[in-house]
Coordinates of all heavy atoms in Angstrom, one line a residue:
L1 N 55.7 -17.8 4.3 CA 55.2 -18.3 5.6 C 55.7 -17.5 6.8 O 55.0 -17.1 7.7 CB 55.5 -19.8 5.8 CG 55.1 -20.4 7.1 CD1 53.6 -20.3 7.4 CD2 55.5 -21.9 7.2
E2 N 57.1 -17.2 6.7 CA 57.7 -16.4 7.8 C 57.0 -15.0 7.9 O 56.8 -14.5 9.0 CB 59.2 -16.2 7.5 CG 59.9 -15.4 8.6 CD 61.3 -15.1 8.2 OE1 61.7 -15.3 7.0 OE2 62.0 -14.5 9.0
S3 N 56.7 -14.4 6.7 CA 56.1 -13.1 6.7 C 54.7 -13.2 7.4 O 54.3 -12.3 8.2 CB 56.0 -12.6 5.3 OG 55.3 -11.4 5.2
D4 N 53.9 -14.2 7.0 CA 52.6 -14.3 7.6 C 52.7 -14.6 9.1 O 51.8 -14.0 9.9 CB 51.9 -15.5 7.0 CG 51.5 -15.2 5.5 OD1 51.4 -14.0 5.1 OD2 51.4 -16.2 4.7
V5 N 53.6 -15.4 9.6 CA 53.8 -15.6 11.0 C 54.2 -14.3 11.7 O 53.6 -14.0 12.8 CB 54.8 -16.7 11.2 CG1 55.1 -16.9 12.7 CG2 54.3 -18.1 10.7
H6 N 55.1 -13.6 11.2 CA 55.5 -12.3 11.8 C 54.3 -11.3 11.9 O 54.1 -10.6 12.8 CB 56.7 -11.7 11.1 CG 58.0 -12.3 11.5 ND1 58.5 -12.2 12.7 CD2 58.9 -13.0 10.8 CE1 59.7 -12.8 12.8 NE2 59.9 -13.3 11.6
R7 N 53.5 -11.4 10.8 CA 52.3 -10.5 10.9 C 51.3 -10.9 12.0 O 50.7 -10.1 12.6 CB 51.6 -10.6 9.5 CG 50.5 -9.5 9.3 CD 50.3 -9.2 7.8 NE 49.8 -10.4 7.1 CZ 48.5 -10.6 6.9 NH1 47.6 -9.7 7.3 NH2 48.2 -11.6 6.2
L8 N 51.2 -12.2 12.1 CA 50.4 -12.7 13.2 C 50.9 -12.4 14.6 O 50.2 -11.9 15.5 CB 50.2 -14.3 13.1 CG 49.4 -15.0 14.2 CD1 48.0 -14.5 14.2 CD2 49.5 -16.5 14.1
L9 N 52.3 -12.4 14.7 CA 52.9 -12.1 16.0 C 52.8 -10.6 16.3 O 52.8 -10.2 17.4 CB 54.4 -12.5 15.9 CG 54.7 -14.0 16.0 CD1 56.2 -14.2 15.7 CD2 54.3 -14.5 17.3
L10 N 52.7 -9.8 15.2 CA 52.5 -8.3 15.4 C 51.0 -8.0 15.7 O 50.8 -7.0 16.5 CB 53.0 -7.6 14.2 CG 54.5 -7.5 13.9 CD1 54.7 -6.9 12.6 CD2 55.2 -6.8 15.0
L11 N 50.1 -8.6 15.1 CA 48.7 -8.2 15.2 C 48.0 -8.8 16.5 O 47.1 -8.2 17.0 CB 47.9 -8.7 14.0 CG 48.3 -8.0 12.7 CD1 47.6 -8.6 11.5 CD2 47.9 -6.5 12.8
K12 N 48.4 -10.0 16.8 CA 47.7 -10.7 18.0 C 47.9 -9.9 19.3 O 46.9 -9.8 20.0 CB 48.2 -12.1 18.1 CG 47.3 -13.0 19.0 CD 46.0 -13.2 18.3 CE 45.1 -14.1 19.2 NZ 43.7 -14.2 18.6
P13 N 49.0 -9.4 19.6 CA 49.2 -8.6 20.9 C 48.2 -7.4 20.9 O 47.7 -7.1 22.0 CB 50.6 -8.2 20.9 CG 51.3 -9.2 20.1 CD 50.4 -9.6 19.0
L14 N 48.0 -6.8 19.8 CA 47.0 -5.6 19.8 C 45.6 -6.1 20.1 O 44.9 -5.5 20.9 CB 47.1 -4.9 18.4 CG 46.1 -3.8 18.2 CD1 46.3 -2.7 19.2 CD2 46.1 -3.3 16.8
E15 N 45.3 -7.3 19.5 CA 43.9 -7.8 19.8 C 43.8 -8.2 21.2 O 42.8 -7.9 21.9 CB 43.7 -9.1 18.9 CG 42.4 -9.8 19.1 CD 42.3 -11.1 18.4 OE1 43.1 -11.3 17.5 OE2 41.4 -11.9 18.7
E16 N 44.8 -8.8 21.8 CA 44.8 -9.2 23.2 C 44.7 -7.9 24.1 O 44.0 -7.9 25.1 CB 46.0 -10.0 23.6 CG 46.0 -11.4 22.9 CD 44.8 -12.2 23.4 OE1 44.5 -12.2 24.6 OE2 44.2 -12.9 22.5
L17 N 45.5 -6.9 23.8 CA 45.5 -5.7 24.6 C 44.1 -5.0 24.6 O 43.6 -4.6 25.6 CB 46.5 -4.7 24.0 CG 46.7 -3.4 24.8 CD1 47.1 -3.6 26.2 CD2 47.6 -2.5 24.0
L18 N 43.5 -5.0 23.4 CA 42.1 -4.4 23.3 C 41.1 -5.3 24.1 O 40.2 -4.7 24.8 CB 41.7 -4.3 21.8 CG 42.5 -3.3 21.0 CD1 42.0 -3.4 19.5 CD2 42.2 -1.9 21.5
A19 N 41.3 -6.6 24.0 CA 40.4 -7.5 24.8 C 40.5 -7.3 26.3 O 39.5 -7.3 27.0 CB 40.6 -8.9 24.4
Q20 N 41.8 -7.1 26.7 CA 42.0 -6.9 28.2 C 41.4 -5.6 28.6 O 40.8 -5.5 29.7 CB 43.5 -6.9 28.4 CG 44.1 -8.3 28.3 CD 45.6 -8.3 28.4 OE1 46.2 -7.2 28.7 NE2 46.3 -9.4 28.2
R21 N 41.5 -4.6 27.8 CA 40.9 -3.3 28.2 C 39.4 -3.4 28.2 O 38.8 -2.8 29.1 CB 41.3 -2.2 27.1 CG 40.8 -0.8 27.4 CD 41.1 -0.4 28.8 NE 40.4 0.9 29.1 CZ 40.3 1.3 30.4 NH1 40.7 0.6 31.4 NH2 39.6 2.5 30.6
L22 N 38.8 -4.1 27.3 CA 37.4 -4.3 27.3 C 36.9 -5.1 28.6 O 35.9 -4.8 29.2 CB 36.9 -5.1 26.1 CG 36.8 -4.2 24.8 CD1 36.6 -5.1 23.6 CD2 35.7 -3.2 24.9
A23 N 37.7 -6.1 29.0 CA 37.4 -6.8 30.2 C 37.5 -5.9 31.4 O 36.7 -6.1 32.4 CB 38.4 -8.0 30.3
V24 N 38.4 -5.0 31.4 CA 38.6 -4.1 32.6 C 37.4 -3.1 32.6 O 36.9 -2.8 33.7 CB 39.9 -3.3 32.5 CG1 39.9 -2.1 33.5 CG2 41.1 -4.2 32.7
L25 N 36.9 -2.7 31.5 CA 35.7 -1.8 31.5 C 34.5 -2.5 32.1 O 33.8 -1.9 32.9 CB 35.4 -1.4 30.0 CG 36.3 -0.3 29.4 CD1 35.9 -0.1 28.0 CD2 36.3 1.0 30.2
D26 N 34.2 -3.7 31.7 CA 33.1 -4.5 32.3 C 31.8 -3.7 32.4 O 31.2 -3.6 33.4 CB 33.5 -5.0 33.6 CG 32.6 -6.2 34.1 OD1 31.9 -6.7 33.3 OD2 32.6 -6.5 35.3
T27 N 31.4 -3.1 31.3 CA 30.2 -2.3 31.3 C 28.9 -3.1 31.5 O 27.9 -2.6 32.1 CB 30.1 -1.6 29.9 OG1 30.1 -2.6 28.9 CG2 31.2 -0.6 29.7
G28 N 28.9 -4.4 31.2 CA 27.7 -5.2 31.4 C 27.4 -5.3 32.9 O 26.2 -5.1 33.3
T29 N 28.4 -5.5 33.7 CA 28.2 -5.6 35.1 C 27.7 -4.2 35.7 O 26.8 -4.2 36.6 CB 29.5 -6.1 35.9 OG1 29.9 -7.3 35.3 CG2 29.2 -6.2 37.4
G30 N 28.3 -3.2 35.2 CA 28.0 -1.8 35.7 C 26.5 -1.5 35.3 O 25.8 -1.0 36.2
V31 N 26.1 -1.7 34.1 CA 24.7 -1.4 33.8 C 23.7 -2.3 34.5 O 22.6 -1.9 34.8 CB 24.5 -1.4 32.2 CG1 24.5 -2.8 31.7 CG2 23.3 -0.7 31.8
S32 N 24.1 -3.6 34.7 CA 23.2 -4.5 35.4 C 23.1 -4.0 36.9 O 21.9 -4.0 37.4 CB 23.8 -5.9 35.4 OG 23.8 -6.4 34.1

């Protein structure tokens, strides 16, 4: 369980970082 939790703690920040970068791009507003 500790190993799975540490894996989640390592992977989730990368997902959040990518999501934040996508939000900054905001291509939908630009193309609209």
Side-chain angles (χ1 to χ4, degrees):
L1 176 58
E2 180 191 8
S3 175
D4 293 334
V5 170
H6 279 297
R7 192 155 64 95
L8 178 62
L9 289 172
L10 288 173
L11 293 173
K12 196 63 180 178
L14 175 60
E15 178 187 346
E16 292 298 316
L17 182 63
L18 294 174
Q20 290 173 5
R21 179 54 187 165
L22 283 171
V24 170
L25 285 177
D26 197 13
T27 52
T29 302
V31 73
S32 296

